[in-house]
Amino acid sequence: MRMSDGVEWAAHACALLAALPEGVGVSAALLAEFNDLPPAYMAKHMQALARAGVVTSARGAGGGYRLARPASEVTLWDIVEAVEGPEPAFRCTEIRQKGPCAAKPAECRHPCQIAAAFHAAEKAWRGSLKAVSLASILADLARKQSPARRAELLAWLETKL
Amino acid sequence: MRMSDGVEWAAHACALLAALPEGVGVSAALLAEFNDLPPAYMAKHMQALARAGVVTSARGAGGGYRLARPASEVTLWDIVEAVEGPEPAFRCTEIRQKGPCAAKPAECRHPCQIAAAFHAAEKAWRGSLKAVSLASILADLARKQSPARRAELLAWLETKL
DNA sequence: TCTATTGCGGATATTTAGCATCCGAATTAT
DNA sequence: ATAATTCGGATGCTAAATATCCGCAATAGA
């Protein structure tokens, strides 16, 4: 089981968007360049974020992506859901209904104990991700990152906008 | 992100082993037949469980697999770890150290906020799985499954052992 | 209006995971 | 001993997920 790298990329991209002044659009190409990522694939993931309503997009010169809502209202789960899709990692294939001792469909109105346990575990996982917003990430970062470093990053971005 | 079907198969197989009287070995072929699963691939997963010490194996006639310890001491996480490996689903590739504003390695002694949040979420997930043992699964099952159904399953198994 | 820029979606390549097969080694029952 | 089982590992094939590319549509500014 492995989460696609796109989730990490999208999360960092969204954190960058959240750190920017309001109303500024950033192209997918620039977001990719910032972390030395493949531009084409980065663009795909930004499209996924746009479809999911996490960011808004604007075409044409001076366009690009920006957050669709305040940073405090975008969670890591929103980003995972946008990039990886909403489906759970564990998908019960109902093998109890197969084989020589197959259970009848009527006996399977409820998920089996195993599926229930996995679903509960994933719910805990999602809950943990929903508790972390871009705002809380930036707040943590501000505490650990030197102001000089932060200024350096913003300065580079300004030269490109 | 998707968990392999093998985890579901292994979990059901272990639950079956846990429901059996002590000292009985079951071949991989029979475990596969019980749920109409591909025998070769089932065998592969049973080997993984044996390598991880979840089950013990015995070759030769009358051999097969059995639980390596009491059902109360085998958790769903043990099975996931055996089949999928212990690596986390989220793997930070340290993209903050790449690109035109790359952070220096000295600044990266600690994981970034994003990686830390994902690691915390997976810890919650693992914790939830570690709280569920094969014994608790069987106990839940006994509460919902009719005694007649249980007898039916054991009867079929006896004809094959 | 024309051009440069940018997002969008389809089509294509690459990599990974799932599945099957084979044969050898170990063990037990006869 | 011998034969019947059964696990273990190596190898190859297929399907699916992942990553990449390319042309088109839309937008803003000159």
Side-chain angles (χ1 to χ4, degrees):
Chain A
M1 188 178 53
R2 172 171 197 155
M3 181 169 292
S4 93
D5 294 337
V7 172
E8 184 189 3
W9 304 356
H12 279 273
C14 287
L16 185 76
L17 293 180
L20 250 44
E22 189 125 359
V24 179
V26 184
S27 73
L30 184 55
L31 288 171
E33 183 188 355
F34 188 79
N35 288 119
D36 193 24
L37 298 171
Y41 204 31
M42 185 72 199
K44 260 280 198 262
H45 292 309
M46 294 312 297
Q47 287 173 31
L49 288 171
R51 267 194 302 273
V54 174
V55 302
T56 60
S57 61
R59 299 197 201 195
Y65 294 96
R66 64 200 72 186
L67 284 187
R69 34 182 205 276
S72 60
E73 290 172 33
V74 177
T75 71
L76 285 183
W77 168 248
D78 295 329
I79 295 169
V80 171
E81 188 178 31
V83 174
E84 290 260 342
E87 286 144 36
F90 180 90
R91 303 171 204 181
C92 181
T93 59
E94 289 289 338
I95 58 176
R96 62 178 167 173
Q97 295 187 45
K98 301 179 80 174
C101 297
K104 293 162 194 159
E107 297 173 305
C108 301
R109 305 265 329 243
H110 297 284
C112 69
Q113 276 70 29
I114 290 170
F118 276 104
H119 290 154
E122 288 202 38
K123 189 172 182 180
W125 176 71
R126 285 196 303 273
S128 187
L129 291 180
K130 286 177 185 172
V132 181
S133 70
L134 292 177
S136 67
I137 287 176
L138 288 189
D140 277 0
L141 194 62
R143 213 170 303 130
K144 303 199 177 177
Q145 196 180 49
S146 77
R149 169 82 180 143
R150 180 181 174 78
E152 181 189 342
L153 299 182
L154 289 176
W156 182 85
L157 278 170
E158 288 225 2
T159 70
K160 293 283 189 171
L161 289 177
Chain B
M1 188 178 52
R2 173 172 196 154
M3 181 169 292
S4 94
D5 295 336
V7 172
E8 184 189 5
W9 303 357
H12 279 274
C14 287
L16 186 84
L17 293 180
L20 250 44
E22 190 125 0
V24 179
V26 184
S27 73
L30 184 54
L31 288 170
E33 183 188 355
F34 187 79
N35 288 118
D36 194 23
L37 298 171
Y41 204 31
M42 184 74 199
K44 191 163 193 158
H45 292 307
M46 293 312 296
Q47 288 172 28
L49 289 171
R51 267 195 302 273
V54 174
V55 301
T56 60
S57 61
R59 301 195 201 197
Y65 294 97
R66 65 200 72 186
L67 285 186
R69 34 184 204 274
S72 60
E73 290 173 33
V74 176
T75 70
L76 285 183
W77 168 248
D78 295 328
I79 295 169
V80 172
E81 189 179 29
V83 174
E84 290 261 345
E87 285 145 36
F90 180 90
R91 302 172 205 179
C92 181
T93 58
E94 288 289 338
I95 58 177
R96 61 179 166 172
Q97 295 186 45
K98 302 178 80 173
C101 296
K104 293 162 192 158
E107 296 173 305
C108 301
R109 306 265 329 244
H110 296 285
C112 70
Q113 277 70 28
I114 290 169
F118 276 103
H119 290 154
E122 288 202 38
K123 190 172 181 180
W125 177 70
R126 285 196 303 274
S128 187
L129 291 179
K130 286 177 185 173
V132 181
S133 70
L134 293 176
S136 67
I137 288 175
L138 288 189
D140 278 359
L141 195 62
R143 214 170 302 129
K144 302 199 176 177
Q145 197 180 49
S146 77
R149 166 84 180 143
R150 179 181 174 79
E152 180 189 343
L153 299 182
L154 290 176
W156 182 86
L157 279 170
E158 288 224 1
T159 70
K160 293 283 189 172
L161 293 177

